[in-house]
Amino acid sequence: MALVRVRLAGICNTDAEILRGYHGFRGTPGHEFVGEVVEVGGVSAAAKKRWMGKRVAGEINVACAAYGLRPICEFCKRGLKTHCARRTVLGIVAHDGAFRNI
């Protein structure tokens, strides 16, 4: 798990559609972003050192396995986490996006 300080976030047509009611989203948009790793947890000291300060781009899909839900869905079992049956999507489906942190 990592905490990322958002440095840049983009606005695209999907964001405009969300503001018009796409997916019935209620929350903060912002699914396209880059940032810097400022905190890392649940890894070795060496891995933490390797990630700190790195520039990263976000994966917008949050799969059931990431939430610790059990049992995990068939897609996650097959490693297809971007197709997770219970996923949320930052700034699009049931999860605040990157503009929340700006």
Side-chain angles (χ1 to χ4, degrees):
M1 182 74 81
L3 177 64
V4 175
R5 177 180 291 126
V6 175
R7 296 295 188 185
L8 294 170
I11 298 172
C12 71
N13 190 62
T14 302
D15 297 304
E17 293 299 323
I18 286 168
L19 294 175
R20 292 185 191 109
Y22 176 73
H23 266 297
F25 180 72
R26 298 288 176 256
T28 306
H31 60 274
E32 297 173 341
F33 64 96
V34 296
E36 174 186 335
V37 176
V38 295
E39 219 174 283
V40 182
V43 297
S44 68
K48 182 175 183 174
K49 183 177 180 180
R50 186 170 51 249
W51 280 103
M52 292 297 294
K54 294 289 185 184
R55 187 180 315 164
V56 295
E59 164 57 59
I60 65 173
N61 295 287
V62 185
C64 65
Y67 285 116
L69 301 177
R70 297 289 181 249
I72 63 172
C73 73
E74 290 301 315
F75 290 106
C76 287
K77 284 180 185 174
R78 293 186 298 174
L80 301 170
K81 294 178 181 178
T82 59
H83 297 282
C84 172
R86 295 181 285 180
R87 78 182 185 280
T88 60
V89 185
L90 270 67
I92 300 175
V93 179
H95 199 296
D96 281 331
F99 293 138
R100 182 169 187 251
N101 300 314
I102 295 179

